[in-house]
């Protein structure tokens, strides 16, 4: 019975194959005719439909060879003795005689199985293939005809007929992405595409007749000529910047539309710290290991090898030494998201209590020819140091409690030099922002050292103005001007044993200044003397520190203006002065309280502003918008006015980096250039120009008029003496 089933299936497959071979030449002929008459796109559709029709017909004809057909074939061959129906009947329903006959027929079929497969229609196959190939060859070789008997490149002798506009029959765009992206070659019929940077583009266009010349016209004025090869007009280019383009020919095309080519730049890899969770980790006593985990991601893939930079610091303040090491790590996981894990041996690194261990991971992507790098944020492990017992002979000395991390002058110099080296890889705006951030760090450090000269913290409350201490022209505390406040220096030299407690009451309401040595002393220590911070230093050391602050001020000004090269000389001089201050021999505490000027109660809350200057900040003039753009927007709103599209296109190219979507504006300009009478195109361009205009500054809302109750209240205030 299994052998019979096998013979039956072979017969059905033979029938399906015969139908396919008979239909394929006609499908091929139809596709060639469509290619010749209409174009490549329609030919692909016709060929696909023809193949699907042949497959459907072959399947239907094969299913016609069902069980009834098999019974008829077996009975007609005589092998079943007209008992083929018993072979497919249920054996339990047959009587003993029918079962005996069924066994007899099966045994006879096993000995001699008849041939059930249809014969090959050789004659029909040969005729179909000859006819199909003949039609295809005639369609390909038949010469093209032109309207009114005119030739493609001219007119018949004695005639004046002119050929009509060209039509683009088919278009293909092949995109070969760079090898590092891992993308396969893509061929599409649409001329709009979004490709990776540095992709090789190949255009292949076919017209209904051969033009004199053709090219691709880009919106920035560049032309890419098309060359003819076997009826195909081809061109190649490398995608580097987003562009708009259209197909132009002579004679002109009947329909011209813009095509958009977006270029996606390869992003630099990004690195995320998974462990530890915080950037600053306080170690535990006796800690020997530190586990690190990073995750690096990239759009096309991260290199399998990465570099872990490890820096061990020793010392404190400006007396810090650095030991740098590098470790190569192997990543795991997908190329687009690799993970790097490493455990640091603190003993092997030579890290001691009181040291810092700083780690940063650097990865590279697969960009060719030059790989892009990405760095993680730095993570710091701070190992605790044993507390130093201070002598009890000198009262008032305590262990200073300072912020967990301050940038030192040396670190500011290192950051500025690193920023200068990265100038070529940064945009101008990002370069200025990072330089300004370093300038802010320089300002914080300057204010920190300024506390020892008696300078006030910026933003702290100021004493009320008196006749003895004018404040009208005094600059903000902590600025470049010298606010020495040397009121208690001489007193501390003559009275070494005075113990006064009057200073604390005078300053009870003044909030402590973050990082100030004097406020830390007053908050955490039992003080008998509350002198100005200027009395902490001897005159020579104080003058050296004042010179360091002057250099810090100059360095800060250059950094805040985005000029780190000019700031480095001042920063180096400030570092040298700070080194001299650290080597000073005499730093002593004064024994007297501050001598504040008396408060003039007569001027308090009196509104008398004599001697006070205006504190209004000068307003920076805003750059007005380009008059040409404003005029273009106004003319586009007037149906009769026509803007200068060439000037508008030039402005768009100059300011492409600052526009929300430069290609949308360029597309609107080119579309209006192609269709000058299109009202929708004018409105679309006007909307794009409006997006490019500067937004007006918000204005203060005028206060509403007072109601009856409010007016009575105001009148009552004015009526009071």
């Amino acid at each position: 019975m299994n052998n019979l089933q096998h013979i039956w299936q072979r017969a059905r497959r033979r029938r399906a194959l015969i139908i396919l071979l008979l239909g394929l030449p006609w499908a091929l002929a139809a596709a060639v005719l469509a290619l010749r008459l209409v174009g490549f796109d329609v030919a692909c559709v016709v060929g696909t439909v023809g193949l699907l029709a042949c497959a459907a017909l072959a399947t239907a004809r094969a299913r016609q060879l069902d069980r009834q057909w098999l019974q008829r074939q077996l009975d007609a061959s005589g092998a079943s003795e007209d008992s083929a129906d018993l072979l497919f009947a249920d054996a339990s329903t047959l009587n003993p005689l029918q079962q005996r006959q069924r066994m007899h027929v099966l045994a006879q079929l096993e000995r001699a199985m008849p041939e059930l497969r249809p014969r090959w229609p050789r004659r029909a196959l040969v005729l179909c293939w000859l006819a199909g190939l003949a039609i295809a060859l005639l369609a390909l070789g038949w010469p093209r005809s032109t309207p009114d008997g005119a030739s493609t490149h001219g007119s018949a002798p004695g005639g004046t007929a002119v050929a009509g506009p060209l039509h683009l029959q088919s278009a293909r765009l092949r995109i070969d992405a760079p090898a590092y992206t891992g993308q396969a070659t893509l061929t599409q019929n649409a001329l709009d595409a979004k490709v990776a940077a540095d992709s090789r583009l190949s255009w292949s266009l076919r017209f209904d007749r051969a033009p004199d010349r053709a090219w691709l016209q880009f919106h920035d004025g560049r032309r890419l000529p098309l060359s003819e090869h076997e009826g195909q007009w081809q061109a190649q280019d490398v995608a580097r910047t987003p562009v708009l383009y259209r197909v132009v020919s002579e004679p002109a095309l009947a329909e011209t539309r813009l095509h958009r080519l977006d270029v996606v730049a390869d992003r630099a890899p990004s690195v995320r710290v998974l462990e530890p969770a915080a950037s600053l980790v306080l170690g535990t006593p006796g800690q020997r290991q530190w586990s690190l985990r990073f995750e690096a991601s990239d759009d096309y893939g991260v290199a399998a090898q990465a570099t872990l930079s490890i820096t061990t610091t020793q010392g404190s303040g400006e007396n810090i030494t650095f030991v740098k090491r590098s470790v190569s790590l192997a990543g795991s996981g997908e190329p687009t998201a690799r993970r790097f894990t490493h455990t640091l041996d603190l003993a092997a690194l030579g890290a001691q209590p009181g040291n810092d261990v700083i780690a940063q991971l650097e990865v590279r992507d697969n960009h060719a020819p030059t790989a892009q790098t990405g760095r993680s944020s730095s993570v710091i492990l701070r190992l605790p140091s044993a507390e130093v017992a201070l002598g009890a002979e000198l009262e008032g000395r305590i262990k200073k409690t300072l912020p967990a991390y301050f940038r030192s002058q040396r670190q500011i110099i290192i950051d500025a030099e690193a920023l200068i080296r990265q100038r070529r890889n940064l945009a101008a705006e990002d370069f200025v922002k990072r330089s300004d951030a370093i300038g802010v760090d320089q300002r914080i450090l300057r204010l920190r050292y300024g506390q020892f000269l008696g300078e006030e913290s910026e933003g702290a409350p100021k004493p009320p103005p008196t006749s003895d201490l004018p404040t009208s022209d005094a600059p903000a505390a902590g600025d470049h001007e010298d606010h020495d406040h040397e009121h208690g220096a001489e007193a501390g030299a003559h009275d070494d044993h005075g113990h006064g407690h009057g200073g604390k009451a005078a300053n009870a309401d003044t909030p402590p200044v973050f990082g100030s040595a004097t406020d830390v002393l007053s908050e955490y220590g039992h003080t008998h003397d509350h002198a100005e911070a200027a009395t902490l230093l001897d005159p020579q050391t104080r003058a050296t520190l004042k010179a360091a602050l002057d250099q810090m001020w100059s360095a800060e000004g250059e950094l805040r203006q985005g000029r780190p090269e000019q700031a480095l000389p001042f920063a180096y001089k400030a570092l040298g002065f700070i080194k001299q201050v650290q080597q000073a021999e005499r730093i002593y505490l004064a024994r007297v309280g501050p001598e504040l000027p008396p408060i003039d109660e007569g001027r308090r809350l009196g509104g008398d502003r004599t001697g006070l200057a205006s504190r209004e900040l000068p307003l920076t003039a805003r750059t007005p918008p380009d008059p040409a753009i404003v005029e273009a927007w106004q003319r586009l709103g007037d149906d009769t006015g026509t803007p200068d599209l060439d000037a508008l296109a030039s402005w768009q190219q100059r300011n492409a980096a600052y526009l929300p979507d430069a290609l949308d504006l360029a597309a609107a300009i080119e579309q209006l250039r192609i269709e000058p009478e299109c009202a929708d195109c004018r409105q679309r361009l006007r909307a794009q120009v409006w997006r490019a205009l500067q937004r007006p500054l918000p204005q203060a809302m005028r206060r509403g008029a007072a109601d009856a109750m409010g007016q009575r209240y105001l009148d009552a205030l004015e009526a009071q003496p």
Side-chain angles (χ1 to χ4, degrees):
M1 193 68 180
N2 293 333
N3 193 17
L4 180 61
Q5 291 287 344
H6 180 66
I7 294 298
W8 183 19
Q9 295 299 328
R10 290 177 59 187
R12 300 182 74 172
R13 287 195 295 268
R14 174 68 65 84
R15 173 65 67 86
L17 185 58
I18 290 173
I19 299 302
L20 280 177
L21 292 177
L22 290 175
L24 283 178
W26 301 109
L28 176 62
V32 173
L33 284 174
L35 176 65
R36 184 66 175 176
L37 297 177
V38 183
F40 178 79
D41 296 337
V42 178
C44 292
V45 174
V46 172
T48 303
V49 173
L51 291 176
L52 293 176
C54 292
L57 181 60
T59 304
R61 293 297 301 273
R63 289 180 177 177
Q64 291 179 359
L65 306 185
D66 53 4
R67 183 178 298 176
Q68 287 77 14
W69 174 86
L70 180 59
Q71 294 178 9
R72 290 194 302 269
Q73 293 297 321
L74 292 176
D75 292 339
S77 64
S80 63
E81 299 179 357
D82 294 335
S83 301
D85 55 337
L86 298 177
L87 300 176
F88 302 98
D90 189 2
S92 61
T93 61
L94 299 178
N95 56 39
L97 181 61
Q98 290 175 333
Q99 292 181 3
R100 183 181 180 85
Q101 178 65 15
R102 183 173 182 271
M103 297 297 295
H104 174 70
V105 172
L106 287 175
Q108 187 172 353
L109 289 176
E110 290 291 338
R111 290 192 300 270
M113 180 64 68
E115 180 62 41
L116 301 180
R117 292 182 298 177
R119 295 182 178 180
W120 287 104
R122 293 184 177 85
R123 187 173 183 180
L125 288 174
V126 171
L127 291 177
C128 287
W129 278 97
L130 288 177
L133 292 176
I135 294 174
L137 292 176
L138 287 174
L140 292 175
W142 195 267
R144 293 180 180 271
S145 60
T146 56
D148 299 332
S151 68
T152 304
H153 298 283
S155 58
T160 59
V162 179
L166 289 176
H167 293 273
L168 187 62
Q169 286 188 339
S170 62
R172 280 186 297 173
L173 176 60
R174 175 174 174 173
I175 304 170
D176 295 314
Y180 70 86
T181 63
Q183 299 178 355
T185 300
L186 175 64
T187 302
Q188 61 182 31
N189 296 328
L191 296 181
D192 298 272
K194 188 174 184 179
V195 302
D198 299 329
S199 297
R200 181 166 293 278
L201 307 176
S202 301
W203 288 270
S204 181
L205 310 177
R206 182 182 290 274
F207 302 93
D208 59 347
R209 65 177 188 275
D212 295 338
R213 61 193 185 101
W215 65 91
L216 299 179
Q217 181 68 49
F218 295 91
H219 79 280
D220 56 1
R222 185 167 59 95
R223 286 188 177 187
L224 182 61
L226 293 169
S227 59
E228 192 272 338
H229 179 69
E230 296 182 357
Q232 300 282 344
W233 290 79
Q234 301 174 351
Q236 292 185 349
D237 195 15
V238 178
R240 292 188 174 87
T241 57
V243 291
L244 295 169
Y245 71 98
R246 65 178 185 270
V247 181
V248 182
S249 65
E250 291 182 358
L253 287 171
E255 180 181 0
T256 302
R257 61 180 296 266
L258 286 172
H259 305 282
R260 179 166 180 160
L261 189 64
D262 288 309
V263 178
V264 181
D266 183 18
R267 298 191 303 270
S270 60
V271 187
R272 184 165 60 97
V273 181
L274 300 180
E275 186 181 352
S279 59
L280 178 61
V281 181
L282 298 178
T284 58
Q287 181 176 351
R288 296 185 177 183
Q289 292 183 340
W290 189 28
S291 299
L292 301 173
R293 285 196 307 126
F294 304 89
E295 183 182 53
S297 59
D298 188 67
D299 43 6
Y300 296 120
V302 181
Q305 298 294 326
T307 303
L308 179 64
S309 300
I310 307 168
T311 304
T312 306
T313 65
Q314 298 178 355
S316 62
E318 299 294 338
N319 296 323
I320 298 179
T321 59
F322 301 90
V323 179
K324 296 184 178 181
R325 298 177 179 86
S326 297
V327 178
S328 180
L329 302 182
S332 61
E334 297 293 331
T336 56
R338 295 188 185 274
R339 292 201 172 188
F340 299 87
T341 305
H342 188 67
T343 301
L344 295 178
D345 188 353
L346 301 180
L349 294 175
Q352 302 294 331
N355 297 162
D356 290 349
V357 180
I358 306 171
Q360 185 181 44
L361 184 69
E362 178 179 339
V363 299
R364 298 177 181 272
D365 62 4
N366 300 324
H367 187 274
T370 304
Q372 301 181 102
T373 60
R375 296 179 179 86
S376 69
S377 58
S378 297
V379 289
I380 305 172
L381 174 64
R382 177 154 295 163
L383 299 176
S385 60
E387 295 185 357
V388 180
L390 301 179
E393 297 81 11
L394 181 61
E395 290 190 44
R397 294 188 60 185
I398 64 171
K399 180 177 176 61
K400 294 184 179 180
T401 303
L402 293 178
Y405 185 72
F406 264 109
R407 286 185 182 268
S408 63
Q409 185 65 26
R410 188 191 307 275
Q411 185 62 42
I412 291 174
I413 294 174
I414 293 174
D415 292 346
E417 292 177 344
L419 180 61
I420 294 172
R421 290 194 299 269
Q422 297 175 3
R423 177 190 288 271
R424 296 183 178 179
N425 300 329
L426 296 175
E429 184 177 359
D430 295 339
F431 181 82
V432 174
K433 287 183 179 179
R434 293 183 58 176
S435 178
D436 181 71
I438 300 174
V440 172
D441 294 337
Q442 179 69 87
R443 170 181 172 272
I444 295 174
L445 185 63
R446 176 176 60 80
L447 294 178
R448 178 190 175 194
Y449 282 105
Q451 300 295 329
F452 296 95
L453 293 182
E455 296 183 355
E456 302 176 44
S457 176
E458 293 186 2
K462 308 297 188 299
T466 62
S467 58
D468 297 333
L469 184 62
T471 60
S472 59
D473 297 329
D479 288 344
H480 178 55
E481 286 77 12
D482 185 10
H483 301 287
D484 295 342
H485 303 290
E486 302 180 8
H487 301 297
E490 296 78 3
H494 295 289
D495 187 5
D496 294 335
H497 302 284
H499 297 277
H501 295 269
K504 188 173 183 178
N507 294 333
D509 298 331
T510 303
V513 181
F514 184 75
S516 173
T518 55
D519 287 292
V520 171
L521 182 63
S522 63
E523 183 175 358
Y524 298 101
H526 176 67
T527 60
H528 288 258
D529 309 286
H530 299 274
E532 291 280 325
T535 61
L536 292 174
L537 306 176
D538 62 280
Q540 181 179 0
T541 304
R542 185 180 178 282
T544 305
L545 183 57
K546 178 61 175 61
L549 293 182
D550 292 341
Q551 300 300 324
M552 289 183 184
W553 172 266
S554 301
E556 175 190 345
E558 299 294 341
L559 288 171
R560 298 298 293 270
Q561 299 180 45
R563 297 194 295 264
E565 295 89 348
Q566 289 82 349
L568 282 178
F570 302 108
Y572 275 109
K573 292 180 181 179
L575 179 60
F577 287 125
I578 291 174
K579 289 293 184 181
Q580 297 179 22
V581 172
Q582 291 175 346
Q583 299 171 3
E585 296 180 353
R586 296 182 60 211
I587 298 179
Y588 57 90
L589 291 174
R591 299 295 183 179
V592 296
E595 297 180 3
L596 299 178
I599 299 176
D600 185 3
E601 299 291 345
R603 297 185 62 184
R604 294 191 63 185
L605 302 178
D608 184 8
R609 298 179 57 86
T610 304
L612 297 179
S614 175
R615 295 180 180 269
E616 295 182 359
L617 297 177
L619 296 178
T620 304
R622 193 185 188 199
T623 304
D626 193 340
I629 303 305
V630 178
E631 182 182 359
W633 182 78
Q634 294 174 348
R635 288 195 175 186
L636 287 170
D638 187 4
D639 295 338
T640 59
T642 302
D644 188 354
L645 297 181
D646 293 335
L648 190 58
S650 300
W651 181 88
Q652 181 270 337
Q653 295 177 14
R654 292 193 307 269
N655 300 271
Y658 308 100
L659 296 177
D661 195 334
L663 284 187
D664 283 349
L665 178 57
I669 295 173
E670 294 299 321
Q671 193 63 34
L672 185 60
R673 195 192 304 273
I674 296 173
E675 304 178 52
E677 304 301 328
C678 177
D680 293 339
C681 300
R682 294 176 64 91
Q683 294 302 321
R684 191 178 305 113
L685 177 57
R686 193 166 190 260
Q688 292 296 332
V689 173
W690 173 255
R691 293 181 59 192
L693 289 173
Q694 294 182 1
R695 296 293 182 269
L697 294 175
Q699 301 295 329
M701 300 296 294
R702 183 180 295 275
R703 177 182 293 180
D707 54 6
M709 181 179 295
Q711 189 61 41
R712 289 197 300 271
Y713 176 75
L714 295 177
D715 295 342
L717 289 178
E718 294 179 357
Q720 290 181 358

